[in-house]
Amino acid sequence: MTHSYLRTAARTLRDRPGWPVLVAGLLLCLLGWYGVSGENLAARQLPYLASGTAPGAALLTAGAVLLGRRRSGQPSDGPTDRRVDQLYALLTAEAAEAAAPADGPPLAVPQGTLYHRPGCPLVAGKPQAARVGPAVVRERGLTPCPVCDPEPPATDG
């Protein structure tokens, strides 16, 4: 049940990326304003303006641009959009599930504390990742990866 809620929330954020950016900008602006309002000297107000209000205004603008661009129906096929989509896919569990084969023995890196599905992005491209069986998982005290959520390795015998 939790996974379906997280997937729904992730899809909403993916489909409407401007809203989280707008909210973050609004929060920064409010925090900056609150800090400025508590100081009576201009020299003490400057750090709040520089660290809260200015970035907040930039995020508000970026969020508005993202919302306006998505609403106008412009296609998301530019190189930047593709990179953002790839980054989003890398960072979400939904992509890890889609990329990771459901079968096959789990993998682990030599000094790691987790075991992973064969297609997990956390072990992708790591030649030192090796197959581990149930005995190795018990011996090293490995736990399942929270990103790819692998099945426990098949029991011995």
Side-chain angles (χ1 to χ4, degrees):
M1 185 165 163
T2 303
H3 291 292
S4 64
Y5 172 75
L6 292 175
R7 285 186 186 138
T8 303
R11 270 192 219 107
T12 301
L13 292 176
R14 181 187 61 211
D15 295 340
R16 299 181 189 122
W19 287 113
V21 174
L22 274 172
V23 170
L26 181 62
L27 287 174
L28 278 176
C29 284
L30 289 174
L31 289 172
W33 175 81
Y34 181 74
V36 167
S37 67
E39 298 293 340
N40 55 358
L41 294 174
R44 289 189 173 169
Q45 293 174 351
L46 189 57
Y48 293 107
L49 291 172
S51 64
T53 308
L59 285 175
L60 283 171
T61 303
V65 168
L66 284 171
L67 284 175
R69 197 178 117 262
R70 294 287 180 179
R71 283 189 182 151
S72 68
Q74 292 178 349
S76 306
D77 58 356
T80 303
D81 290 325
R82 282 193 299 267
R83 293 276 168 101
V84 169
D85 291 341
Q86 289 171 349
L87 180 60
Y88 176 80
L90 180 65
L91 296 175
T92 60
E94 181 179 323
E97 290 175 6
D103 55 352
L107 303 173
V109 293
Q111 302 300 320
T113 59
L114 303 173
Y115 64 90
H116 310 267
R117 290 181 186 258
C120 180
L122 297 179
V123 292
K126 292 186 178 177
Q128 69 270 28
R131 294 179 178 176
V132 292
V136 175
V137 169
R138 280 192 308 273
E139 181 181 300
R140 290 178 46 192
L142 298 175
T143 57
C145 171
V147 174
C148 65
D149 194 26
E151 297 293 323
T155 58
D156 293 327

Tab-separated table of all heavy atoms in Angstrom, residues 87-132:
chain	number	residue	atom	x	y	z
A	87	LEU	N	17.617	11.286	-15.259
A	87	LEU	CA	17.957	11.473	-13.854
A	87	LEU	C	16.784	11.074	-12.973
A	87	LEU	O	16.955	10.388	-11.963
A	87	LEU	CB	18.349	12.927	-13.589
A	87	LEU	CG	18.728	13.271	-12.158
A	87	LEU	CD1	19.932	12.445	-11.710
A	87	LEU	CD2	19.028	14.739	-12.035
A	88	TYR	N	15.596	11.456	-13.357
A	88	TYR	CA	14.404	11.077	-12.596
A	88	TYR	C	14.263	9.558	-12.553
A	88	TYR	O	13.999	8.979	-11.507
A	88	TYR	CB	13.162	11.715	-13.218
A	88	TYR	CG	11.898	11.280	-12.533
A	88	TYR	CD1	11.506	11.867	-11.337
A	88	TYR	CD2	11.124	10.257	-13.053
A	88	TYR	CE1	10.373	11.448	-10.683
A	88	TYR	CE2	9.990	9.834	-12.405
A	88	TYR	CZ	9.607	10.437	-11.223
A	88	TYR	OH	8.489	10.011	-10.574
A	89	ALA	N	14.470	8.912	-13.703
A	89	ALA	CA	14.361	7.454	-13.761
A	89	ALA	C	15.408	6.789	-12.883
A	89	ALA	O	15.138	5.780	-12.238
A	89	ALA	CB	14.501	6.974	-15.201
A	90	LEU	N	16.593	7.365	-12.825
A	90	LEU	CA	17.647	6.800	-11.998
A	90	LEU	C	17.328	6.923	-10.519
A	90	LEU	O	17.663	6.054	-9.724
A	90	LEU	CB	18.974	7.501	-12.305
A	90	LEU	CG	20.190	7.033	-11.540
A	90	LEU	CD1	20.516	5.593	-11.920
A	90	LEU	CD2	21.363	7.931	-11.823
A	91	LEU	N	16.656	7.988	-10.140
A	91	LEU	CA	16.416	8.259	-8.731
A	91	LEU	C	15.134	7.664	-8.174
A	91	LEU	O	14.894	7.748	-6.982
A	91	LEU	CB	16.412	9.770	-8.497
A	91	LEU	CG	17.739	10.467	-8.762
A	91	LEU	CD1	17.593	11.964	-8.611
A	91	LEU	CD2	18.823	9.943	-7.855
A	92	THR	N	14.310	7.079	-9.010
A	92	THR	CA	13.049	6.546	-8.496
A	92	THR	C	13.087	5.035	-8.415
A	92	THR	O	13.707	4.355	-9.213
A	92	THR	CB	11.863	6.948	-9.391
A	92	THR	OG1	12.076	6.441	-10.696
A	92	THR	CG2	11.674	8.450	-9.415
A	93	ALA	N	12.400	4.516	-7.453
A	93	ALA	CA	12.318	3.062	-7.282
A	93	ALA	C	11.555	2.436	-8.437
A	93	ALA	O	11.806	1.294	-8.805
A	93	ALA	CB	11.654	2.729	-5.956
A	94	GLU	N	10.618	3.183	-9.014
A	94	GLU	CA	9.838	2.658	-10.134
A	94	GLU	C	10.764	2.298	-11.288
A	94	GLU	O	10.618	1.241	-11.891
A	94	GLU	CB	8.819	3.698	-10.569
A	94	GLU	CG	7.940	3.260	-11.718
A	94	GLU	CD	6.929	4.338	-12.069
A	94	GLU	OE1	6.429	5.008	-11.172
A	94	GLU	OE2	6.659	4.493	-13.254
A	95	ALA	N	11.739	3.149	-11.564
A	95	ALA	CA	12.684	2.872	-12.637
A	95	ALA	C	13.584	1.708	-12.272
A	95	ALA	O	13.937	0.899	-13.117
A	95	ALA	CB	13.515	4.104	-12.947
A	96	ALA	N	13.947	1.611	-11.016
A	96	ALA	CA	14.803	0.503	-10.586
A	96	ALA	C	14.072	-0.821	-10.768
A	96	ALA	O	14.664	-1.809	-11.192
A	96	ALA	CB	15.217	0.686	-9.138
A	97	GLU	N	12.776	-0.837	-10.466
A	97	GLU	CA	12.002	-2.061	-10.660
A	97	GLU	C	11.887	-2.405	-12.135
A	97	GLU	O	11.961	-3.566	-12.507
A	97	GLU	CB	10.614	-1.910	-10.058
A	97	GLU	CG	10.620	-1.874	-8.551
A	97	GLU	CD	9.235	-1.607	-7.988
A	97	GLU	OE1	8.262	-1.556	-8.755
A	97	GLU	OE2	9.156	-1.431	-6.776
A	98	ALA	N	11.707	-1.398	-12.977
A	98	ALA	CA	11.569	-1.641	-14.411
A	98	ALA	C	12.894	-2.081	-15.020
A	98	ALA	O	12.925	-2.926	-15.908
A	98	ALA	CB	11.065	-0.386	-15.112
A	99	ALA	N	14.003	-1.512	-14.542
A	99	ALA	CA	15.306	-1.825	-15.108
A	99	ALA	C	15.873	-3.126	-14.573
A	99	ALA	O	16.676	-3.768	-15.229
A	99	ALA	CB	16.280	-0.681	-14.829
A	100	ALA	N	15.479	-3.492	-13.369
A	100	ALA	CA	16.060	-4.670	-12.739
A	100	ALA	C	15.310	-5.931	-13.145
A	100	ALA	O	14.102	-5.992	-13.008
A	100	ALA	CB	16.020	-4.511	-11.233
A	101	PRO	N	16.026	-6.920	-13.626
A	101	PRO	CA	15.356	-8.180	-13.904
A	101	PRO	C	14.810	-8.771	-12.613
A	101	PRO	O	15.419	-8.662	-11.563
A	101	PRO	CB	16.480	-9.060	-14.470
A	101	PRO	CG	17.595	-8.149	-14.822
A	101	PRO	CD	17.418	-6.929	-13.987
A	102	ALA	N	13.659	-9.406	-12.706
A	102	ALA	CA	13.038	-9.971	-11.516
A	102	ALA	C	13.730	-11.248	-11.087
A	102	ALA	O	13.652	-11.636	-9.936
A	102	ALA	CB	11.568	-10.227	-11.784
A	103	ASP	N	14.405	-11.920	-12.021
A	103	ASP	CA	15.041	-13.166	-11.667
A	103	ASP	C	16.555	-13.009	-11.657
A	103	ASP	O	17.086	-12.003	-12.067
A	103	ASP	CB	14.628	-14.263	-12.642
A	103	ASP	CG	14.898	-13.879	-14.090
A	103	ASP	OD1	15.255	-12.713	-14.335
A	103	ASP	OD2	14.755	-14.743	-14.962
A	104	GLY	N	17.209	-14.017	-11.193
A	104	GLY	CA	18.661	-13.992	-11.119
A	104	GLY	C	19.106	-13.817	-9.681
A	104	GLY	O	18.401	-13.230	-8.864
A	105	PRO	N	20.291	-14.339	-9.386
A	105	PRO	CA	20.784	-14.237	-8.011
A	105	PRO	C	21.134	-12.794	-7.659
A	105	PRO	O	21.501	-12.003	-8.524
A	105	PRO	CB	22.027	-15.127	-8.020
A	105	PRO	CG	22.447	-15.196	-9.441
A	105	PRO	CD	21.210	-15.044	-10.265
A	106	PRO	N	21.023	-12.446	-6.397
A	106	PRO	CA	21.349	-11.075	-5.991
A	106	PRO	C	22.847	-10.798	-6.126
A	106	PRO	O	23.655	-11.715	-6.171
A	106	PRO	CB	20.895	-11.016	-4.535
A	106	PRO	CG	20.689	-12.406	-4.093
A	106	PRO	CD	20.528	-13.253	-5.304
A	107	LEU	N	23.160	-9.508	-6.171
A	107	LEU	CA	24.541	-9.055	-6.285
A	107	LEU	C	24.907	-8.228	-5.062
A	107	LEU	O	24.042	-7.602	-4.442
A	107	LEU	CB	24.723	-8.189	-7.534
A	107	LEU	CG	24.364	-8.789	-8.878
A	107	LEU	CD1	24.454	-7.729	-9.968
A	107	LEU	CD2	25.277	-9.952	-9.207
A	108	ALA	N	26.208	-8.191	-4.755
A	108	ALA	CA	26.710	-7.337	-3.679
A	108	ALA	C	28.135	-6.935	-4.012
A	108	ALA	O	28.865	-7.667	-4.683
A	108	ALA	CB	26.666	-8.062	-2.342
A	109	VAL	N	28.526	-5.760	-3.557
A	109	VAL	CA	29.918	-5.330	-3.706
A	109	VAL	C	30.699	-5.837	-2.492
A	109	VAL	O	30.118	-6.050	-1.423
A	109	VAL	CB	30.038	-3.796	-3.863
A	109	VAL	CG1	29.421	-3.337	-5.171
A	109	VAL	CG2	29.410	-3.075	-2.713
A	110	PRO	N	32.002	-6.041	-2.629
A	110	PRO	CA	32.780	-6.674	-1.561
A	110	PRO	C	32.656	-6.018	-0.185
A	110	PRO	O	32.523	-6.706	0.814
A	110	PRO	CB	34.222	-6.596	-2.076
A	110	PRO	CG	34.089	-6.550	-3.556
A	110	PRO	CD	32.815	-5.815	-3.824
A	111	GLN	N	32.695	-4.701	-0.097
A	111	GLN	CA	32.632	-4.038	1.201
A	111	GLN	C	31.246	-3.511	1.543
A	111	GLN	O	31.068	-2.809	2.532
A	111	GLN	CB	33.631	-2.866	1.242
A	111	GLN	CG	35.070	-3.263	0.980
A	111	GLN	CD	35.577	-4.272	1.993
A	111	GLN	OE1	35.294	-4.175	3.175
A	111	GLN	NE2	36.315	-5.265	1.515
A	112	GLY	N	30.247	-3.857	0.727
A	112	GLY	CA	28.901	-3.331	0.912
A	112	GLY	C	28.133	-4.019	2.024
A	112	GLY	O	28.531	-5.070	2.542
A	113	THR	N	27.017	-3.426	2.376
A	113	THR	CA	26.152	-3.978	3.416
A	113	THR	C	24.781	-4.368	2.860
A	113	THR	O	23.927	-4.817	3.603
A	113	THR	CB	25.947	-2.954	4.545
A	113	THR	OG1	25.356	-1.773	3.996
A	113	THR	CG2	27.259	-2.615	5.226
A	114	LEU	N	24.580	-4.175	1.546
A	114	LEU	CA	23.296	-4.455	0.910
A	114	LEU	C	23.465	-5.489	-0.191
A	114	LEU	O	24.536	-5.603	-0.780
A	114	LEU	CB	22.724	-3.178	0.284
A	114	LEU	CG	22.512	-1.968	1.173
A	114	LEU	CD1	22.112	-0.763	0.334
A	114	LEU	CD2	21.463	-2.255	2.223
A	115	TYR	N	22.385	-6.219	-0.491
A	115	TYR	CA	22.363	-7.033	-1.699
A	115	TYR	C	21.293	-6.477	-2.621
A	115	TYR	O	20.336	-5.859	-2.181
A	115	TYR	CB	22.183	-8.524	-1.403
A	115	TYR	CG	20.881	-8.940	-0.769
A	115	TYR	CD1	19.785	-9.301	-1.542
A	115	TYR	CD2	20.748	-8.998	0.618
A	115	TYR	CE1	18.604	-9.703	-0.957
A	115	TYR	CE2	19.569	-9.395	1.210
A	115	TYR	CZ	18.489	-9.754	0.416
A	115	TYR	OH	17.313	-10.142	0.998
A	116	HIS	N	21.515	-6.621	-3.947
A	116	HIS	CA	20.731	-5.931	-4.973
A	116	HIS	C	20.239	-6.892	-6.040
A	116	HIS	O	20.818	-7.948	-6.262
A	116	HIS	CB	21.596	-4.867	-5.671
A	116	HIS	CG	22.315	-3.958	-4.740
A	116	HIS	ND1	21.799	-2.762	-4.338
A	116	HIS	CD2	23.520	-4.070	-4.114
A	116	HIS	CE1	22.656	-2.166	-3.518
A	116	HIS	NE2	23.703	-2.945	-3.359
A	117	ARG	N	19.209	-6.444	-6.773
A	117	ARG	CA	18.789	-7.137	-7.996
A	117	ARG	C	19.887	-6.922	-9.045
A	117	ARG	O	20.601	-5.922	-8.996
A	117	ARG	CB	17.481	-6.560	-8.529
A	117	ARG	CG	16.281	-6.871	-7.662
A	117	ARG	CD	15.032	-6.258	-8.299
A	117	ARG	NE	13.899	-6.419	-7.438
A	117	ARG	CZ	12.957	-7.340	-7.610
A	117	ARG	NH1	13.018	-8.152	-8.638
A	117	ARG	NH2	11.954	-7.442	-6.766
A	118	PRO	N	19.972	-7.815	-10.028
A	118	PRO	CA	21.019	-7.659	-11.051
A	118	PRO	C	20.977	-6.324	-11.806
A	118	PRO	O	22.005	-5.812	-12.200
A	118	PRO	CB	20.764	-8.835	-11.998
A	118	PRO	CG	20.123	-9.864	-11.131
A	118	PRO	CD	19.277	-9.100	-10.157
A	119	GLY	N	19.823	-5.707	-12.004
A	119	GLY	CA	19.747	-4.462	-12.759
A	119	GLY	C	19.672	-3.208	-11.906
A	119	GLY	O	19.385	-2.131	-12.412
A	120	CYS	N	19.923	-3.315	-10.616
A	120	CYS	CA	19.810	-2.158	-9.710
A	120	CYS	C	20.794	-1.062	-10.120
A	120	CYS	O	21.967	-1.333	-10.380
A	120	CYS	CB	20.075	-2.591	-8.276
A	120	CYS	SG	19.968	-1.236	-7.074
A	121	PRO	N	20.349	0.201	-10.158
A	121	PRO	CA	21.252	1.286	-10.547
A	121	PRO	C	22.401	1.502	-9.564
A	121	PRO	O	23.413	2.087	-9.912
A	121	PRO	CB	20.349	2.518	-10.615
A	121	PRO	CG	19.090	2.157	-9.937
A	121	PRO	CD	18.988	0.669	-9.926
A	122	LEU	N	22.280	1.009	-8.342
A	122	LEU	CA	23.351	1.194	-7.366
A	122	LEU	C	24.534	0.261	-7.607
A	122	LEU	O	25.626	0.513	-7.102
A	122	LEU	CB	22.816	1.014	-5.941
A	122	LEU	CG	21.750	2.021	-5.517
A	122	LEU	CD1	21.280	1.732	-4.100
A	122	LEU	CD2	22.263	3.443	-5.618
A	123	VAL	N	24.336	-0.825	-8.364
A	123	VAL	CA	25.450	-1.707	-8.700
A	123	VAL	C	25.721	-1.732	-10.201
A	123	VAL	O	26.667	-2.383	-10.636
A	123	VAL	CB	25.224	-3.149	-8.172
A	123	VAL	CG1	25.257	-3.194	-6.675
A	123	VAL	CG2	23.962	-3.751	-8.725
A	124	ALA	N	24.909	-1.033	-10.983
A	124	ALA	CA	25.101	-1.002	-12.435
A	124	ALA	C	26.468	-0.393	-12.752
A	124	ALA	O	26.839	0.642	-12.213
A	124	ALA	CB	23.993	-0.196	-13.103
A	125	GLY	N	27.205	-1.055	-13.598
A	125	GLY	CA	28.505	-0.549	-14.015
A	125	GLY	C	29.611	-0.788	-13.000
A	125	GLY	O	30.703	-0.264	-13.153
A	126	LYS	N	29.347	-1.555	-11.962
A	126	LYS	CA	30.386	-1.860	-10.966
A	126	LYS	C	30.864	-3.283	-11.202
A	126	LYS	O	30.184	-4.244	-10.828
A	126	LYS	CB	29.840	-1.699	-9.549
A	126	LYS	CG	29.525	-0.269	-9.208
A	126	LYS	CD	29.121	-0.121	-7.764
A	126	LYS	CE	28.854	1.346	-7.469
A	126	LYS	NZ	28.396	1.538	-6.100
A	127	PRO	N	32.039	-3.432	-11.812
A	127	PRO	CA	32.519	-4.781	-12.131
A	127	PRO	C	32.804	-5.614	-10.882
A	127	PRO	O	32.806	-6.837	-10.948
A	127	PRO	CB	33.794	-4.538	-12.942
A	127	PRO	CG	34.194	-3.144	-12.652
A	127	PRO	CD	32.957	-2.400	-12.255
A	128	GLN	N	33.034	-4.979	-9.742
A	128	GLN	CA	33.322	-5.726	-8.522
A	128	GLN	C	32.064	-6.347	-7.903
A	128	GLN	O	32.164	-7.145	-6.976
A	128	GLN	CB	34.065	-4.864	-7.494
A	128	GLN	CG	33.236	-3.746	-6.901
A	128	GLN	CD	33.316	-2.438	-7.665
A	128	GLN	OE1	33.537	-2.409	-8.864
A	128	GLN	NE2	33.132	-1.339	-6.956
A	129	ALA	N	30.883	-5.984	-8.390
A	129	ALA	CA	29.644	-6.574	-7.871
A	129	ALA	C	29.596	-8.043	-8.272
A	129	ALA	O	29.741	-8.387	-9.442
A	129	ALA	CB	28.431	-5.838	-8.412
A	130	ALA	N	29.398	-8.905	-7.279
A	130	ALA	CA	29.407	-10.343	-7.529
A	130	ALA	C	28.129	-10.974	-6.998
A	130	ALA	O	27.476	-10.438	-6.093
A	130	ALA	CB	30.618	-10.971	-6.850
A	131	ARG	N	27.797	-12.120	-7.564
A	131	ARG	CA	26.624	-12.859	-7.105
A	131	ARG	C	26.853	-13.327	-5.669
A	131	ARG	O	27.962	-13.717	-5.302
A	131	ARG	CB	26.379	-14.064	-7.990
A	131	ARG	CG	25.989	-13.700	-9.383
A	131	ARG	CD	25.797	-14.931	-10.214
A	131	ARG	NE	25.360	-14.557	-11.556
A	131	ARG	CZ	25.174	-15.408	-12.523
A	131	ARG	NH1	25.376	-16.692	-12.328
A	131	ARG	NH2	24.772	-14.989	-13.695
A	132	VAL	N	25.794	-13.284	-4.888
A	132	VAL	CA	25.873	-13.779	-3.515
A	132	VAL	C	24.730	-14.748	-3.268
A	132	VAL	O	23.623	-14.554	-3.753
A	132	VAL	CB	25.829	-12.630	-2.473
A	132	VAL	CG1	27.075	-11.785	-2.541
A	132	VAL	CG2	24.602	-11.764	-2.645
